[in-house]
Amino acid sequence: MPARHLAAAAALVLASAVPAAAAAPAHPYQPAGSTEVPVERGSARLRLSPDLRSALKEDGVVVAGVDAKGRISPRGHSGEGTTLRLTGGAVTNSGGKLGGELRFGKAGLALVATGSGTGGTQSRSSRKSVTVTRFEVDLGHGILTAALHNGTRFTLGTFPRPATRSAVNTKTRSLRVDLTIKATASAARLDAALGTHCFTGHRPLLHARIVASLERSVDVRTALNLGQHGWPDADRARTRSVVSGAPVRMPVSGVPLFR
């Protein structure tokens, strides 16, 4: 073939390849585990810590539930706690820790200072109350936020982030976490509203047990980069290489998986 024909053929091949390259995505590969998995339904059971309950009782503060319409339960907050319905959110796997956000709608708790406590911080004639609703759990940062009766959002408490593989069941597509929530400095605004001294320091505030169902159309194991038993896929690959006779590869901890 003459040289000019070869050059023309090469130019034609290059020209046809350019559109295909231009159409390629800028980031064709997204690492497993970076996908959000929406929650379908669920609830949170909130229980006051014994320490907080004792402090509230001493200051004459009664705790009651508030429904989604803002109505305060006349029965008060029992030792069994208050259940909030999960209204939205999603979870992720962030470095082996649970990430994402969970929202719990308009229901919540009401705190009523009756002035009948033994702490002597308030008179009966100066009763005050405050509602705490619209709870949101930020799993990625380990914080619990809520809204006051005037709509102001604040950070109520913090908690250690749970491990993803212990919180997510890939077979049942379910989430279950137990959180111990401690007060932040901004929780003291509840004291300011009530005229009490119950939310100072970093005392334990709440225990929250959250149970939720995950989106059924999502492959939870792949989306959150979890193996069959909650192991990260990278650890499963290392295990397979050892069993097959390949050289031992060290996990992140620096300890061989098999000896």
Side-chain angles (χ1 to χ4, degrees):
M1 180 181 292
R4 66 176 182 276
H5 291 170
L6 288 174
L12 181 61
V13 170
L14 289 174
S16 63
V18 169
H27 302 285
Y29 173 72
Q30 184 179 14
S34 61
T35 306
E36 287 190 345
V37 178
V39 294
E40 289 190 329
R41 59 187 179 276
S43 63
R45 188 71 169 173
L46 303 182
R47 298 178 63 184
L48 301 182
S49 71
D51 182 45
L52 179 60
R53 290 181 65 185
S54 176
L56 291 171
K57 183 178 180 179
E58 183 178 353
D59 277 358
V61 177
V62 175
V63 184
V66 179
D67 67 17
K69 295 183 178 181
R71 297 173 298 197
I72 299 176
S73 170
R75 295 192 301 272
H77 180 92
S78 69
E80 296 301 318
T82 298
T83 299
L84 303 179
R85 185 173 65 88
L86 183 63
T87 58
V91 296
T92 64
N93 183 5
S94 177
K97 298 288 187 178
L98 203 60
E101 183 180 80
L102 303 174
R103 301 181 295 276
F104 294 92
K106 298 179 180 180
L109 299 171
L111 306 173
V112 182
T114 65
S116 60
T118 61
T121 59
Q122 198 176 56
S123 66
R124 288 180 179 272
S125 61
S126 59
R127 290 190 177 188
K128 298 180 180 180
S129 64
V130 62
T131 59
V132 186
T133 60
R134 298 181 182 272
F135 287 90
E136 293 186 5
V137 177
D138 184 340
L139 295 165
H141 295 90
I143 61 175
L144 172 68
T145 63
L148 296 174
H149 56 284
N150 60 7
T152 302
R153 290 206 68 83
F154 70 108
T155 300
L156 179 60
T158 61
F159 55 86
R161 293 175 59 201
T164 306
R165 63 180 179 181
S166 65
V168 175
N169 187 318
T170 57
K171 291 183 178 180
T172 61
R173 299 175 183 272
S174 61
L175 170 75
R176 177 170 174 165
V177 292
D178 289 285
L179 306 176
T180 298
I181 299 162
K182 292 187 176 182
T184 62
S186 61
R189 66 179 57 200
L190 295 175
D191 281 328
L194 296 168
T196 58
H197 299 87
C198 300
F199 296 92
T200 56
H202 296 281
R203 75 182 340 147
L205 294 182
L206 298 165
H207 175 268
R209 169 163 290 181
I210 301 172
V211 179
S213 297
L214 302 178
E215 173 64 52
R216 285 170 290 182
S217 64
V218 176
D219 183 342
V220 176
R221 187 181 304 171
T222 300
L224 298 182
N225 193 24
L226 297 173
Q228 183 175 2
H229 301 289
W231 299 343
D233 286 343
D235 286 348
R236 288 169 56 83
R238 281 191 287 266
T239 303
R240 284 195 296 268
S241 69
V242 173
V243 173
S244 64
V248 174
R249 298 176 62 188
M250 303 295 286
V252 175
S253 63
V255 178
L257 296 175
F258 294 89
R259 297 184 183 277

